[in-house]
């Protein structure tokens, strides 16, 4: 299983993220993924720079690591034709190191364009159409599309890479896998569920990447790590069915007001030890994931973690 690093746009500014990306490559991570948010999950995180601008800078400052959005929502805040253009440009800037990761989004980020928030089944319909548009533009030439949710009129990508940009899609269950596996190259999920990997592989003619993500909160002081994880990541336990619906940071604060530090510590490895991180990562490996992106909680606590990762964590994994 390949181990990656997460550029968490909700917890660091753009210059910090570029610095973290360089240090993560030097530490030995195989790939780097970036979240794409308009808002942080909680006000305590304090950031939300534009992910695509940051990734463009990262592409110029790194040489080896693969890069990926984890994930972009191409159904409201961005039109899918724009996402296709962004992805093709990133593939060129990175010398074919980019993978486009997409999902059906969260109200937290998409409400800003004032179009309301459709139910999950409609969002899945929109994402399926978006993927058809993205693939159509990746094919080259002029492209037209007239669907239920989107229209494209004589669009063409004038700068296409020699290597087609791979597409990964976020899934959470059998319905989304059935819907999206035919439209994507790779699977994205955040729970180490073997059934997801099994169902995905059943839909594909050959093995593909299955890319997970796992938060940790490394700190020499375990109590400090638990405190920080509770302050900044207590939203994580809500599950995506809840997290996709809440509209703003105050809603997440209210929804998680009864989550205790010890609750967070039960689900997120906290402190200085390698073993809890390795044990949790092994759950993803055992489930069939081929890739795992680590999130270090706390934008100002990346340097120590990256030294720990280079010296102890990556060798242990």
């Amino acid at each position: 299983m390949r181990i990656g690093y997460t550029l968490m746009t909700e917890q660091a500014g753009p210059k910090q993220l570029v610095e973290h990306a360089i240090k993560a490559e030097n530490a030995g991570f195989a790939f780097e993924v970036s979240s794409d948010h308009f808002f942080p999950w909680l006000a305590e995180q304090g950031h939300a720079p534009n992910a695509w601008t940051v990734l463009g800078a990262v592409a110029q400052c790194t040489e080896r690591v693969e890069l990926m959005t984890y994930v972009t929502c191409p159904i409201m805040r961005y039109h899918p034709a724009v996402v296709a253009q962004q992805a093709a440009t990133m593939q060129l800037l990175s010398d074919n190191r980019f993978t486009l990761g997409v999902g059906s989004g969260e109200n937290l980020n998409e409400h800003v364009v004032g179009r309301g928030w459709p139910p999950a089944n409609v969002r899945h319909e929109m994402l399926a159409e978006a993927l058809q548009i993205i693939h159509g533009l990746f094919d080259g030439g002029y492209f037209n599309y007239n669907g239920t949710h989107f229209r494209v009129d004589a669009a063409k990508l004038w700068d296409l890479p020699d290597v087609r940009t791979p597409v990964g899609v976020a899934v959470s269950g059998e319905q989304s896998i059935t819907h999206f596996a035919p439209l994507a190259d790779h699977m994205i999920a955040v729970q180490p569920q073997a059934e997801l990997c099994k169902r995905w592989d059943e839909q594909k003619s050959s093995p593909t990447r299955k890319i997970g993500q796992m938060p940790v909160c490394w700190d020499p002081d375990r109590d400090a790590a638990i405190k920080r994880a509770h302050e900044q990541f207590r939203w994580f336990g809500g599950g995506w069915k809840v997290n996709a619906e809440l509209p703003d940071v105050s809603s997440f604060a209210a929804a998680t007001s009864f989550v205790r530090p010890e609750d967070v510590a039960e689900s997120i490895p906290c402190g200085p030890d390698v073993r809890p991180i390795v044990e949790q990562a092994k759950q993803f490996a055992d489930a069939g994931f081929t890739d795992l992106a680590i999130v270090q909680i706390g934008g100002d606590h990346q340097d120590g973690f990256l030294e720990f990762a280079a010296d102890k964590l990556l060798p242990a994994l």
Side-chain angles (χ1 to χ4, degrees):
M1 189 170 64
R2 300 166 73 249
I3 305 299
Y5 173 80
T6 300
L7 300 168
M8 195 79 175
T9 60
E10 302 94 298
Q11 65 178 15
K15 289 186 176 181
Q16 279 181 293
L17 290 166
V18 175
E19 292 173 0
H20 298 160
I22 296 168
K23 292 176 180 178
E25 180 177 63
N26 293 336
F29 284 96
F31 65 100
E32 298 178 8
V33 307
S34 174
S35 56
D36 184 355
H37 272 236
F38 202 91
F39 276 82
W41 298 100
L42 294 165
E44 290 89 342
Q45 292 177 310
H47 294 277
N50 183 275
W52 289 93
T53 307
V54 170
L55 282 169
V58 169
Q60 298 302 290
C61 295
T62 57
E63 298 178 354
R64 175 187 56 81
V65 286
E66 296 179 20
L67 303 173
M68 180 181 180
T69 48
Y70 200 105
V71 291
T72 281
C73 176
I75 67 172
M76 296 185 73
R77 187 164 45 109
Y78 306 120
H79 190 282
V82 174
V83 172
Q85 183 189 36
Q86 291 171 313
T89 301
M90 267 300 302
Q91 184 75 316
L92 289 165
L93 284 172
S94 65
D95 295 324
N96 302 320
R97 290 184 285 138
F98 182 67
T99 295
L100 173 64
V102 300
S104 54
E106 299 97 14
N107 193 11
L108 176 71
N109 304 300
E110 307 306 313
H111 79 268
V112 297
V113 294
R115 293 177 54 193
W117 187 234
N121 62 319
V122 175
R123 300 198 303 269
H124 284 177
E125 292 173 3
M126 296 173 75
L127 181 57
E129 287 194 10
L131 286 166
Q132 293 171 32
I133 292 166
I134 290 167
H135 285 303
L137 287 166
F138 283 174
D139 287 340
Y142 285 96
F143 179 74
N144 295 278
Y145 187 88
N146 188 11
T148 303
H149 303 285
F150 295 107
R151 179 174 176 176
V152 177
D153 185 13
K156 176 183 176 180
L157 298 181
W158 287 85
D159 290 276
L160 278 171
D162 294 333
V163 176
R164 188 184 183 100
T165 306
V167 177
V169 64
V171 300
S172 58
E174 185 170 354
Q175 182 178 356
S176 55
I177 288 173
T178 302
H179 213 50
F180 298 126
L183 298 170
D185 303 297
H186 308 304
M187 185 189 91
I188 297 168
V190 295
Q191 297 295 332
Q193 298 174 356
E195 190 67 17
L196 291 177
C197 296
K198 177 185 175 183
R199 293 296 186 192
W200 180 268
D201 286 340
E202 288 174 350
Q203 294 284 333
K204 309 301 285 186
S205 58
S206 60
T208 68
R209 294 172 69 185
K210 292 168 283 289
I211 307 161
Q213 189 180 54
M214 184 183 89
V216 306
C217 195
W218 177 87
D219 196 284
D221 183 336
R222 186 169 188 270
D223 290 338
I226 293 172
K227 182 175 184 292
R228 186 167 74 251
H230 178 257
E231 286 176 347
Q232 298 196 20
F233 241 74
R234 62 187 184 274
W235 60 272
F236 189 74
W240 292 108
K241 287 187 177 181
V242 174
N243 292 345
E245 304 300 332
L246 299 180
D248 50 39
V249 293
S250 60
S251 298
F252 277 93
T256 58
S257 60
F258 296 106
V259 177
R260 303 169 301 170
E262 54 265 38
D263 298 327
V264 175
E266 287 180 2
S267 60
I268 296 175
C270 295
D273 296 332
V274 168
R275 180 183 294 179
I277 301 175
V278 173
E279 289 176 351
Q280 192 148 323
K282 189 175 184 298
Q283 295 178 23
F284 284 88
D286 291 344
F289 283 80
T290 61
D291 302 72
L292 182 65
I294 305 294
V295 182
Q296 160 65 358
I297 298 171
D300 295 329
H301 295 81
Q302 300 298 307
D303 287 352
F305 167 75
L306 290 169
E307 292 176 6
F308 161 75
D311 295 340
K312 296 182 179 180
L313 178 58
L314 290 175
L317 288 168

